[in-house]
Amino acid sequence: QVHLVESGGGSVQAGGSLRLSCAASGRRFRGSAMGWYRQVPGKERELVAVITSGGSTMYADSVKGRFSISRDNAKNTVYLEMNSLKFEDTAVYYCNAAGRDYLGSYEYWGQGTHITVSS
């Protein structure tokens, strides 16, 4: 059974930093794109950052220059380094892994971790 488990969330003051981790188990995600999404009540889940299997990265405009996504394939883990946090970064952050294999496309989500940024 596949699990994505996020950690590192919590409360921080504006301007502070946090580092999220997402540890995957149950399958290897070396060939998958892995990303972070976030959601606030009443709004749709939005992409924050994604890293491809080849290491290419993409960020939402709202976090460019402040957030950095990375992955450690040996640990089957993806990270999100968040700096200069703003009140509007407050959300539940979800880890995602997606790709294709011989069975077709797949996608997995973590359970989410809360981040609260106080102004």
PDB file of all heavy atoms in Angstrom, residues 31-64:
ATOM      1  N   GLY A  31      10.798   7.702 -10.853  1.00  0.00           N
ATOM      2  CA  GLY A  31      10.367   8.102 -12.184  1.00  0.00           C
ATOM      3  C   GLY A  31       9.136   8.994 -12.199  1.00  0.00           C
ATOM      4  O   GLY A  31       8.564   9.244 -13.256  1.00  0.00           O
ATOM      5  N   SER A  32       8.733   9.487 -11.045  1.00  0.00           N
ATOM      6  CA  SER A  32       7.511  10.266 -10.923  1.00  0.00           C
ATOM      7  C   SER A  32       7.809  11.743 -10.749  1.00  0.00           C
ATOM      8  O   SER A  32       8.857  12.119 -10.235  1.00  0.00           O
ATOM      9  CB  SER A  32       6.696   9.800  -9.719  1.00  0.00           C
ATOM     10  OG  SER A  32       6.486   8.409  -9.726  1.00  0.00           O
ATOM     11  N   ALA A  33       6.866  12.550 -11.156  1.00  0.00           N
ATOM     12  CA  ALA A  33       6.876  13.945 -10.752  1.00  0.00           C
ATOM     13  C   ALA A  33       6.311  14.026  -9.339  1.00  0.00           C
ATOM     14  O   ALA A  33       5.343  13.330  -9.012  1.00  0.00           O
ATOM     15  CB  ALA A  33       6.034  14.779 -11.700  1.00  0.00           C
ATOM     16  N   MET A  34       6.919  14.847  -8.517  1.00  0.00           N
ATOM     17  CA  MET A  34       6.419  15.015  -7.148  1.00  0.00           C
ATOM     18  C   MET A  34       6.214  16.494  -6.893  1.00  0.00           C
ATOM     19  O   MET A  34       6.984  17.327  -7.389  1.00  0.00           O
ATOM     20  CB  MET A  34       7.395  14.407  -6.147  1.00  0.00           C
ATOM     21  CG  MET A  34       7.620  12.922  -6.364  1.00  0.00           C
ATOM     22  SD  MET A  34       8.491  12.106  -5.031  1.00  0.00           S
ATOM     23  CE  MET A  34       7.193  12.020  -3.775  1.00  0.00           C
ATOM     24  N   GLY A  35       5.181  16.793  -6.163  1.00  0.00           N
ATOM     25  CA  GLY A  35       4.874  18.199  -5.980  1.00  0.00           C
ATOM     26  C   GLY A  35       4.202  18.493  -4.658  1.00  0.00           C
ATOM     27  O   GLY A  35       3.866  17.594  -3.889  1.00  0.00           O
ATOM     28  N   TRP A  36       4.050  19.774  -4.425  1.00  0.00           N
ATOM     29  CA  TRP A  36       3.351  20.279  -3.254  1.00  0.00           C
ATOM     30  C   TRP A  36       2.197  21.156  -3.714  1.00  0.00           C
ATOM     31  O   TRP A  36       2.368  21.984  -4.610  1.00  0.00           O
ATOM     32  CB  TRP A  36       4.288  21.088  -2.366  1.00  0.00           C
ATOM     33  CG  TRP A  36       5.321  20.267  -1.689  1.00  0.00           C
ATOM     34  CD1 TRP A  36       6.590  20.007  -2.120  1.00  0.00           C
ATOM     35  CD2 TRP A  36       5.185  19.579  -0.440  1.00  0.00           C
ATOM     36  NE1 TRP A  36       7.250  19.201  -1.233  1.00  0.00           N
ATOM     37  CE2 TRP A  36       6.409  18.922  -0.180  1.00  0.00           C
ATOM     38  CE3 TRP A  36       4.151  19.448   0.484  1.00  0.00           C
ATOM     39  CZ2 TRP A  36       6.618  18.155   0.970  1.00  0.00           C
ATOM     40  CZ3 TRP A  36       4.350  18.691   1.619  1.00  0.00           C
ATOM     41  CH2 TRP A  36       5.576  18.055   1.859  1.00  0.00           C
ATOM     42  N   TYR A  37       1.074  20.940  -3.108  1.00  0.00           N
ATOM     43  CA  TYR A  37      -0.113  21.732  -3.349  1.00  0.00           C
ATOM     44  C   TYR A  37      -0.578  22.299  -2.010  1.00  0.00           C
ATOM     45  O   TYR A  37      -0.180  21.813  -0.950  1.00  0.00           O
ATOM     46  CB  TYR A  37      -1.228  20.874  -3.948  1.00  0.00           C
ATOM     47  CG  TYR A  37      -0.970  20.398  -5.349  1.00  0.00           C
ATOM     48  CD1 TYR A  37      -0.001  19.439  -5.620  1.00  0.00           C
ATOM     49  CD2 TYR A  37      -1.703  20.909  -6.421  1.00  0.00           C
ATOM     50  CE1 TYR A  37       0.238  19.006  -6.912  1.00  0.00           C
ATOM     51  CE2 TYR A  37      -1.479  20.484  -7.708  1.00  0.00           C
ATOM     52  CZ  TYR A  37      -0.511  19.523  -7.950  1.00  0.00           C
ATOM     53  OH  TYR A  37      -0.283  19.097  -9.227  1.00  0.00           O
ATOM     54  N   ARG A  38      -1.439  23.303  -2.074  1.00  0.00           N
ATOM     55  CA  ARG A  38      -2.002  23.834  -0.847  1.00  0.00           C
ATOM     56  C   ARG A  38      -3.460  24.220  -1.059  1.00  0.00           C
ATOM     57  O   ARG A  38      -3.895  24.475  -2.169  1.00  0.00           O
ATOM     58  CB  ARG A  38      -1.199  25.025  -0.334  1.00  0.00           C
ATOM     59  CG  ARG A  38      -1.240  26.253  -1.215  1.00  0.00           C
ATOM     60  CD  ARG A  38      -0.271  27.309  -0.681  1.00  0.00           C
ATOM     61  NE  ARG A  38      -0.279  28.530  -1.487  1.00  0.00           N
ATOM     62  CZ  ARG A  38       0.578  29.529  -1.323  1.00  0.00           C
ATOM     63  NH1 ARG A  38       1.516  29.464  -0.383  1.00  0.00           N
ATOM     64  NH2 ARG A  38       0.484  30.597  -2.088  1.00  0.00           N
ATOM     65  N   GLN A  39      -4.165  24.236   0.056  1.00  0.00           N
ATOM     66  CA  GLN A  39      -5.593  24.545  -0.016  1.00  0.00           C
ATOM     67  C   GLN A  39      -6.021  25.276   1.248  1.00  0.00           C
ATOM     68  O   GLN A  39      -5.616  24.920   2.356  1.00  0.00           O
ATOM     69  CB  GLN A  39      -6.399  23.256  -0.171  1.00  0.00           C
ATOM     70  CG  GLN A  39      -7.871  23.461  -0.437  1.00  0.00           C
ATOM     71  CD  GLN A  39      -8.570  22.162  -0.804  1.00  0.00           C
ATOM     72  OE1 GLN A  39      -8.120  21.077  -0.447  1.00  0.00           O
ATOM     73  NE2 GLN A  39      -9.673  22.270  -1.522  1.00  0.00           N
ATOM     74  N   VAL A  40      -6.843  26.295   1.042  1.00  0.00           N
ATOM     75  CA  VAL A  40      -7.471  26.992   2.149  1.00  0.00           C
ATOM     76  C   VAL A  40      -8.969  26.751   2.055  1.00  0.00           C
ATOM     77  O   VAL A  40      -9.497  26.493   0.974  1.00  0.00           O
ATOM     78  CB  VAL A  40      -7.164  28.509   2.131  1.00  0.00           C
ATOM     79  CG1 VAL A  40      -5.663  28.729   2.298  1.00  0.00           C
ATOM     80  CG2 VAL A  40      -7.647  29.155   0.850  1.00  0.00           C
ATOM     81  N   PRO A  41      -9.667  26.827   3.174  1.00  0.00           N
ATOM     82  CA  PRO A  41     -11.112  26.560   3.156  1.00  0.00           C
ATOM     83  C   PRO A  41     -11.838  27.446   2.156  1.00  0.00           C
ATOM     84  O   PRO A  41     -11.581  28.658   2.085  1.00  0.00           O
ATOM     85  CB  PRO A  41     -11.535  26.875   4.593  1.00  0.00           C
ATOM     86  CG  PRO A  41     -10.319  26.616   5.401  1.00  0.00           C
ATOM     87  CD  PRO A  41      -9.172  27.062   4.537  1.00  0.00           C
ATOM     88  N   GLY A  42     -12.685  26.824   1.366  1.00  0.00           N
ATOM     89  CA  GLY A  42     -13.479  27.576   0.408  1.00  0.00           C
ATOM     90  C   GLY A  42     -12.805  27.821  -0.924  1.00  0.00           C
ATOM     91  O   GLY A  42     -13.412  28.408  -1.822  1.00  0.00           O
ATOM     92  N   LYS A  43     -11.566  27.375  -1.046  1.00  0.00           N
ATOM     93  CA  LYS A  43     -10.847  27.563  -2.305  1.00  0.00           C
ATOM     94  C   LYS A  43     -10.370  26.223  -2.842  1.00  0.00           C
ATOM     95  O   LYS A  43     -10.241  25.246  -2.108  1.00  0.00           O
ATOM     96  CB  LYS A  43      -9.662  28.510  -2.110  1.00  0.00           C
ATOM     97  CG  LYS A  43     -10.051  29.938  -1.829  1.00  0.00           C
ATOM     98  CD  LYS A  43      -8.837  30.847  -1.881  1.00  0.00           C
ATOM     99  CE  LYS A  43      -9.212  32.307  -1.705  1.00  0.00           C
ATOM    100  NZ  LYS A  43      -8.035  33.210  -1.808  1.00  0.00           N
ATOM    101  N   GLU A  44     -10.078  26.207  -4.130  1.00  0.00           N
ATOM    102  CA  GLU A  44      -9.574  24.993  -4.746  1.00  0.00           C
ATOM    103  C   GLU A  44      -8.111  24.771  -4.361  1.00  0.00           C
ATOM    104  O   GLU A  44      -7.380  25.712  -4.053  1.00  0.00           O
ATOM    105  CB  GLU A  44      -9.708  25.074  -6.264  1.00  0.00           C
ATOM    106  CG  GLU A  44     -11.148  25.040  -6.751  1.00  0.00           C
ATOM    107  CD  GLU A  44     -11.231  24.912  -8.264  1.00  0.00           C
ATOM    108  OE1 GLU A  44     -10.172  24.917  -8.924  1.00  0.00           O
ATOM    109  OE2 GLU A  44     -12.355  24.811  -8.784  1.00  0.00           O
ATOM    110  N   ARG A  45      -7.742  23.507  -4.399  1.00  0.00           N
ATOM    111  CA  ARG A  45      -6.345  23.173  -4.156  1.00  0.00           C
ATOM    112  C   ARG A  45      -5.502  23.744  -5.290  1.00  0.00           C
ATOM    113  O   ARG A  45      -5.859  23.635  -6.469  1.00  0.00           O
ATOM    114  CB  ARG A  45      -6.186  21.658  -4.077  1.00  0.00           C
ATOM    115  CG  ARG A  45      -4.874  21.168  -3.542  1.00  0.00           C
ATOM    116  CD  ARG A  45      -4.903  19.678  -3.293  1.00  0.00           C
ATOM    117  NE  ARG A  45      -5.873  19.308  -2.268  1.00  0.00           N
ATOM    118  CZ  ARG A  45      -6.000  18.068  -1.797  1.00  0.00           C
ATOM    119  NH1 ARG A  45      -5.236  17.089  -2.262  1.00  0.00           N
ATOM    120  NH2 ARG A  45      -6.909  17.807  -0.877  1.00  0.00           N
ATOM    121  N   GLU A  46      -4.368  24.343  -4.949  1.00  0.00           N
ATOM    122  CA  GLU A  46      -3.523  24.965  -5.958  1.00  0.00           C
ATOM    123  C   GLU A  46      -2.105  24.408  -5.900  1.00  0.00           C
ATOM    124  O   GLU A  46      -1.604  24.029  -4.837  1.00  0.00           O
ATOM    125  CB  GLU A  46      -3.475  26.484  -5.772  1.00  0.00           C
ATOM    126  CG  GLU A  46      -2.839  26.956  -4.481  1.00  0.00           C
ATOM    127  CD  GLU A  46      -2.678  28.471  -4.424  1.00  0.00           C
ATOM    128  OE1 GLU A  46      -3.110  29.166  -5.362  1.00  0.00           O
ATOM    129  OE2 GLU A  46      -2.095  28.959  -3.430  1.00  0.00           O
ATOM    130  N   LEU A  47      -1.486  24.387  -7.073  1.00  0.00           N
ATOM    131  CA  LEU A  47      -0.113  23.925  -7.166  1.00  0.00           C
ATOM    132  C   LEU A  47       0.824  24.954  -6.540  1.00  0.00           C
ATOM    133  O   LEU A  47       0.723  26.144  -6.816  1.00  0.00           O
ATOM    134  CB  LEU A  47       0.269  23.699  -8.628  1.00  0.00           C
ATOM    135  CG  LEU A  47       1.729  23.353  -8.896  1.00  0.00           C
ATOM    136  CD1 LEU A  47       2.042  21.972  -8.366  1.00  0.00           C
ATOM    137  CD2 LEU A  47       2.030  23.438 -10.385  1.00  0.00           C
ATOM    138  N   VAL A  48       1.748  24.471  -5.726  1.00  0.00           N
ATOM    139  CA  VAL A  48       2.782  25.332  -5.146  1.00  0.00           C
ATOM    140  C   VAL A  48       4.098  25.138  -5.896  1.00  0.00           C
ATOM    141  O   VAL A  48       4.723  26.106  -6.341  1.00  0.00           O
ATOM    142  CB  VAL A  48       2.982  25.017  -3.656  1.00  0.00           C
ATOM    143  CG1 VAL A  48       4.127  25.833  -3.081  1.00  0.00           C
ATOM    144  CG2 VAL A  48       1.690  25.272  -2.880  1.00  0.00           C
ATOM    145  N   ALA A  49       4.509  23.889  -6.018  1.00  0.00           N
ATOM    146  CA  ALA A  49       5.782  23.591  -6.678  1.00  0.00           C
ATOM    147  C   ALA A  49       5.768  22.140  -7.122  1.00  0.00           C
ATOM    148  O   ALA A  49       5.116  21.293  -6.513  1.00  0.00           O
ATOM    149  CB  ALA A  49       6.958  23.843  -5.741  1.00  0.00           C
ATOM    150  N   VAL A  50       6.508  21.863  -8.181  1.00  0.00           N
ATOM    151  CA  VAL A  50       6.625  20.496  -8.673  1.00  0.00           C
ATOM    152  C   VAL A  50       8.052  20.258  -9.128  1.00  0.00           C
ATOM    153  O   VAL A  50       8.725  21.190  -9.592  1.00  0.00           O
ATOM    154  CB  VAL A  50       5.626  20.229  -9.815  1.00  0.00           C
ATOM    155  CG1 VAL A  50       5.952  21.075 -11.035  1.00  0.00           C
ATOM    156  CG2 VAL A  50       5.597  18.754 -10.184  1.00  0.00           C
ATOM    157  N   ILE A  51       8.506  19.034  -8.964  1.00  0.00           N
ATOM    158  CA  ILE A  51       9.827  18.636  -9.436  1.00  0.00           C
ATOM    159  C   ILE A  51       9.668  17.352 -10.226  1.00  0.00           C
ATOM    160  O   ILE A  51       9.037  16.389  -9.772  1.00  0.00           O
ATOM    161  CB  ILE A  51      10.823  18.481  -8.260  1.00  0.00           C
ATOM    162  CG1 ILE A  51      12.228  18.146  -8.789  1.00  0.00           C
ATOM    163  CG2 ILE A  51      10.349  17.456  -7.236  1.00  0.00           C
ATOM    164  CD1 ILE A  51      13.312  18.307  -7.720  1.00  0.00           C
ATOM    165  N   THR A  52      10.225  17.342 -11.428  1.00  0.00           N
ATOM    166  CA  THR A  52      10.094  16.183 -12.288  1.00  0.00           C
ATOM    167  C   THR A  52      11.107  15.114 -11.900  1.00  0.00           C
ATOM    168  O   THR A  52      12.004  15.330 -11.082  1.00  0.00           O
ATOM    169  CB  THR A  52      10.304  16.566 -13.749  1.00  0.00           C
ATOM    170  OG1 THR A  52      11.684  16.940 -13.936  1.00  0.00           O
ATOM    171  CG2 THR A  52       9.408  17.725 -14.152  1.00  0.00           C
ATOM    172  N   SER A  53      10.982  13.969 -12.547  1.00  0.00           N
ATOM    173  CA  SER A  53      11.934  12.892 -12.287  1.00  0.00           C
ATOM    174  C   SER A  53      13.337  13.304 -12.690  1.00  0.00           C
ATOM    175  O   SER A  53      14.323  12.826 -12.111  1.00  0.00           O
ATOM    176  CB  SER A  53      11.516  11.629 -13.031  1.00  0.00           C
ATOM    177  OG  SER A  53      11.428  11.874 -14.427  1.00  0.00           O
ATOM    178  N   GLY A  54      13.443  14.208 -13.645  1.00  0.00           N
ATOM    179  CA  GLY A  54      14.751  14.678 -14.089  1.00  0.00           C
ATOM    180  C   GLY A  54      15.299  15.835 -13.282  1.00  0.00           C
ATOM    181  O   GLY A  54      16.415  16.286 -13.537  1.00  0.00           O
ATOM    182  N   GLY A  55      14.508  16.328 -12.333  1.00  0.00           N
ATOM    183  CA  GLY A  55      14.984  17.396 -11.469  1.00  0.00           C
ATOM    184  C   GLY A  55      14.561  18.795 -11.886  1.00  0.00           C
ATOM    185  O   GLY A  55      14.911  19.773 -11.213  1.00  0.00           O
ATOM    186  N   SER A  56      13.802  18.916 -12.962  1.00  0.00           N
ATOM    187  CA  SER A  56      13.297  20.234 -13.345  1.00  0.00           C
ATOM    188  C   SER A  56      12.231  20.677 -12.354  1.00  0.00           C
ATOM    189  O   SER A  56      11.458  19.845 -11.853  1.00  0.00           O
ATOM    190  CB  SER A  56      12.706  20.189 -14.760  1.00  0.00           C
ATOM    191  OG  SER A  56      13.695  19.864 -15.705  1.00  0.00           O
ATOM    192  N   THR A  57      12.186  21.960 -12.098  1.00  0.00           N
ATOM    193  CA  THR A  57      11.246  22.486 -11.106  1.00  0.00           C
ATOM    194  C   THR A  57      10.356  23.561 -11.703  1.00  0.00           C
ATOM    195  O   THR A  57      10.704  24.226 -12.679  1.00  0.00           O
ATOM    196  CB  THR A  57      11.991  23.073  -9.893  1.00  0.00           C
ATOM    197  OG1 THR A  57      12.869  24.118 -10.344  1.00  0.00           O
ATOM    198  CG2 THR A  57      12.795  22.005  -9.179  1.00  0.00           C
ATOM    199  N   MET A  58       9.194  23.723 -11.105  1.00  0.00           N
ATOM    200  CA  MET A  58       8.261  24.756 -11.491  1.00  0.00           C
ATOM    201  C   MET A  58       7.572  25.243 -10.236  1.00  0.00           C
ATOM    202  O   MET A  58       7.268  24.448  -9.340  1.00  0.00           O
ATOM    203  CB  MET A  58       7.229  24.227 -12.484  1.00  0.00           C
ATOM    204  CG  MET A  58       6.296  25.282 -13.026  1.00  0.00           C
ATOM    205  SD  MET A  58       5.069  24.598 -14.162  1.00  0.00           S
ATOM    206  CE  MET A  58       4.040  23.700 -13.025  1.00  0.00           C
ATOM    207  N   TYR A  59       7.319  26.563 -10.174  1.00  0.00           N
ATOM    208  CA  TYR A  59       6.729  27.167  -8.981  1.00  0.00           C
ATOM    209  C   TYR A  59       5.551  28.055  -9.345  1.00  0.00           C
ATOM    210  O   TYR A  59       5.526  28.663 -10.423  1.00  0.00           O
ATOM    211  CB  TYR A  59       7.762  28.011  -8.243  1.00  0.00           C
ATOM    212  CG  TYR A  59       8.951  27.243  -7.742  1.00  0.00           C
ATOM    213  CD1 TYR A  59      10.093  27.109  -8.531  1.00  0.00           C
ATOM    214  CD2 TYR A  59       8.935  26.644  -6.486  1.00  0.00           C
ATOM    215  CE1 TYR A  59      11.185  26.386  -8.073  1.00  0.00           C
ATOM    216  CE2 TYR A  59      10.027  25.927  -6.017  1.00  0.00           C
ATOM    217  CZ  TYR A  59      11.144  25.803  -6.825  1.00  0.00           C
ATOM    218  OH  TYR A  59      12.232  25.089  -6.368  1.00  0.00           O
ATOM    219  N   ALA A  60       4.625  28.140  -8.440  1.00  0.00           N
ATOM    220  CA  ALA A  60       3.575  29.135  -8.568  1.00  0.00           C
ATOM    221  C   ALA A  60       4.210  30.510  -8.451  1.00  0.00           C
ATOM    222  O   ALA A  60       5.189  30.698  -7.714  1.00  0.00           O
ATOM    223  CB  ALA A  60       2.535  28.945  -7.468  1.00  0.00           C
ATOM    224  N   ASP A  61       3.670  31.475  -9.177  1.00  0.00           N
ATOM    225  CA  ASP A  61       4.236  32.822  -9.155  1.00  0.00           C
ATOM    226  C   ASP A  61       4.287  33.383  -7.738  1.00  0.00           C
ATOM    227  O   ASP A  61       5.207  34.121  -7.385  1.00  0.00           O
ATOM    228  CB  ASP A  61       3.401  33.748 -10.041  1.00  0.00           C
ATOM    229  CG  ASP A  61       3.614  33.475 -11.520  1.00  0.00           C
ATOM    230  OD1 ASP A  61       4.616  32.824 -11.878  1.00  0.00           O
ATOM    231  OD2 ASP A  61       2.768  33.911 -12.324  1.00  0.00           O
ATOM    232  N   SER A  62       3.317  33.018  -6.925  1.00  0.00           N
ATOM    233  CA  SER A  62       3.214  33.576  -5.585  1.00  0.00           C
ATOM    234  C   SER A  62       4.337  33.122  -4.650  1.00  0.00           C
ATOM    235  O   SER A  62       4.546  33.733  -3.604  1.00  0.00           O
ATOM    236  CB  SER A  62       1.860  33.206  -4.967  1.00  0.00           C
ATOM    237  OG  SER A  62       1.705  31.798  -4.912  1.00  0.00           O
ATOM    238  N   VAL A  63       5.045  32.055  -5.023  1.00  0.00           N
ATOM    239  CA  VAL A  63       6.097  31.548  -4.136  1.00  0.00           C
ATOM    240  C   VAL A  63       7.481  31.593  -4.766  1.00  0.00           C
ATOM    241  O   VAL A  63       8.473  31.240  -4.107  1.00  0.00           O
ATOM    242  CB  VAL A  63       5.793  30.106  -3.682  1.00  0.00           C
ATOM    243  CG1 VAL A  63       4.401  30.008  -3.064  1.00  0.00           C
ATOM    244  CG2 VAL A  63       5.941  29.104  -4.821  1.00  0.00           C
ATOM    245  N   LYS A  64       7.567  32.025  -6.014  1.00  0.00           N
ATOM    246  CA  LYS A  64       8.866  32.084  -6.681  1.00  0.00           C
ATOM    247  C   LYS A  64       9.832  32.961  -5.902  1.00  0.00           C
ATOM    248  O   LYS A  64       9.481  34.054  -5.458  1.00  0.00           O
ATOM    249  CB  LYS A  64       8.701  32.623  -8.105  1.00  0.00           C
ATOM    250  CG  LYS A  64       8.198  31.613  -9.100  1.00  0.00           C
ATOM    251  CD  LYS A  64       8.069  32.229 -10.493  1.00  0.00           C
ATOM    252  CE  LYS A  64       7.529  31.221 -11.493  1.00  0.00           C
ATOM    253  NZ  LYS A  64       7.331  31.826 -12.834  1.00  0.00           N
TER     254      LYS A  64
END
